[in-house]
Amino acid sequence: MYNPTVARLTYRALLGRRRAAILFVLPALLIVISVAVRSFSGADDQVTADLLGSFALATMVPLIGVIAGTGAIGPEIDDGSIVYLLAKPVKRSTIIFTKLIVAIAVTMAFSAIPTLIAGFILNGNGQQIAIAYTVAALVASIAYAAVFLLLGTVTRHAVVFGLVYALVWESLFGNLVPGARTLSVQQWSLALAQKIGENGMISSDVGLPLAVVLLVGVTVAATWYAGQKLRTLKLAGEE
């Protein structure tokens, strides 16, 4: 199910000079903001939870997921180079699964690690907030990578749709509209963070059992459907 050659090509595409520079921007900004906040206000648990929740989890993680998920396959489809990969004796499901693993790894590296560092800078992991949000970022990275990889296989405007989802649905509606929160990857991941965090510092509108089911269900469904779409892509290219 995992092809090292496909993985190497995908890593090379995602971590090219231009895309890598974009990936570094948000984590670097989070660290800079965290240092500034700690310098001016000292260690504050509530400030830490607010910053990691509103910026790291609600904004940074989905945006990095968009870059990694769509970038893992979208450019190859756009420029037609995916045809050469499809011509190789590699199963379509293996291609999708390998690209998903790479997209997850990149999303985790550029979101979960900076979240952990920022949490320790802000309050030294008081109330287990840094660990809680890091775990949330890790599990959210999996779902986001699968969803945005799917978008990359079904539309040439995957980045646009991904940004709309990340900025409008997750960051805006996911925080302001109660009904929308139950259909938010952010809220599902917060359910795990709530379990880890102490003294009610973190809350989610979704219960932990339902959140786990939804995270797994969305990831599996998106990955399966992306594989199905890739199976028909060669035929569409030949036509």
Side-chain angles (χ1 to χ4, degrees), residues 26-192:
L26 287 173
L29 182 59
L30 174 63
I31 300 301
V32 170
I33 293 174
S34 300
V35 171
V37 169
R38 178 62 186 265
S39 299
F40 287 113
S41 63
D44 187 301
D45 295 340
Q46 189 59 57
V47 170
T48 301
D50 291 343
L51 179 58
L52 295 184
S54 61
F55 185 85
L57 191 61
T59 303
M60 184 182 73
V61 180
L63 286 179
I64 290 176
V66 170
I67 297 171
T70 61
I73 196 170
E76 291 176 299
I77 294 177
D78 290 342
D79 62 20
S81 61
I82 189 70
V83 175
Y84 298 100
L85 182 58
L86 296 177
K88 302 297 181 181
V90 181
K91 292 182 179 179
R92 305 295 190 270
S93 58
T94 298
I95 294 173
I96 287 295
F97 184 77
T98 301
K99 288 182 174 294
L100 175 63
I101 294 300
V102 173
I104 290 173
V106 170
T107 307
M108 285 182 172
F110 284 91
S111 60
I113 295 175
T115 298
L116 180 64
I117 295 173
F120 273 93
I121 291 173
L122 287 164
N123 77 335
N125 194 39
Q127 309 294 334
Q128 293 292 310
I129 294 175
I131 298 297
Y133 276 105
T134 299
V135 171
L138 288 171
V139 297
S141 295
I142 299 173
Y144 283 132
V147 169
F148 296 132
L149 180 66
L150 171 60
L151 281 179
T153 64
V154 300
T155 175
R156 291 181 179 273
H157 306 291
V159 174
V160 175
F161 286 112
L163 289 174
V164 170
Y165 176 84
L167 296 176
V168 178
W169 185 265
E170 290 284 5
S171 298
L172 184 60
F173 286 99
N175 287 325
L176 300 178
V177 182
R181 294 174 185 172
T182 58
L183 299 176
S184 166
V185 174
Q186 175 192 347
Q187 291 296 323
W188 303 343
S189 59
L190 277 174
L192 280 81

Side-chain angles (χ1 to χ4, degrees), residues 22 42 62 123 185 198 201 228:
I22 297 174
N123 77 335
V185 174
E198 298 177 358
M201 296 299 300
Q228 295 298 111

